[in-house]
Amino acid sequence: MTSPPPLPHKRRKAGRFVTTARLILDQPHNGTQGNITNISMFGMRVEFTTRIDCAPGDVLHVRFLLPGCEEVIHTQLEVARKESPHIYGFKFIRLCSSVVEHIRKHLAGQPT
């Protein structure tokens, strides 16, 4: 009996942008900080300085400042994956148009 052919590799639809930016959790992990290691129009990967206890599907209130941006971004993120107790992948929830524009400009390398 032979193995079935491998499934086609699922490719990302959005490019990711490697960045260095700080993120601060508001609720329920008040003040916990992390480093955004990459960001796209759909989400981000964050390495936290301390362990956080979250599971896929959990929603967190956060704030962050992108390099070159003067406006602190407040939004909600949903846990998409947990790589370790310190590293998580998140997807954005309900971004307002001004935040979308800041992220789009950041990804394009333009001043925000």
Side-chain angles (χ1 to χ4, degrees):
M1 181 178 248
T2 62
S3 299
L7 295 173
H9 187 328
K10 186 176 177 181
R11 304 203 110 192
R12 290 184 183 274
K13 293 180 182 175
R16 291 178 292 173
F17 186 84
V18 176
T19 191
T20 330
R22 298 292 289 167
L23 173 131
I24 299 174
L25 296 177
D26 288 328
Q27 296 174 345
H29 302 278
N30 291 338
T32 301
Q33 296 187 20
N35 295 311
I36 300 169
T37 57
N38 69 48
I39 190 168
S40 75
M41 291 301 300
F42 301 101
M44 62 176 64
R45 181 177 183 265
V46 179
E47 294 181 9
F48 290 97
T49 53
T50 60
R51 175 189 177 105
I52 64 169
D53 188 25
C54 293
D58 288 354
V59 175
L60 306 174
H61 297 267
V62 303
R63 55 194 146 107
F64 62 95
L65 184 64
L66 292 172
C69 181
E70 295 180 10
E71 182 181 335
V72 174
I73 297 169
H74 294 262
T75 192
Q76 293 179 357
L77 299 174
E78 180 180 332
V79 177
R81 71 183 177 285
K82 179 179 181 177
E83 296 177 29
S84 79
H86 296 272
I87 303 171
Y88 287 82
F90 296 99
K91 63 182 179 180
F92 292 116
I93 300 174
R94 292 180 290 244
L95 289 177
C96 67
S97 59
S98 66
V99 172
V100 169
E101 186 63 16
H102 282 302
I103 294 170
R104 186 194 66 72
K105 285 182 177 180
H106 182 70
L107 294 173
Q110 300 172 359
T112 54

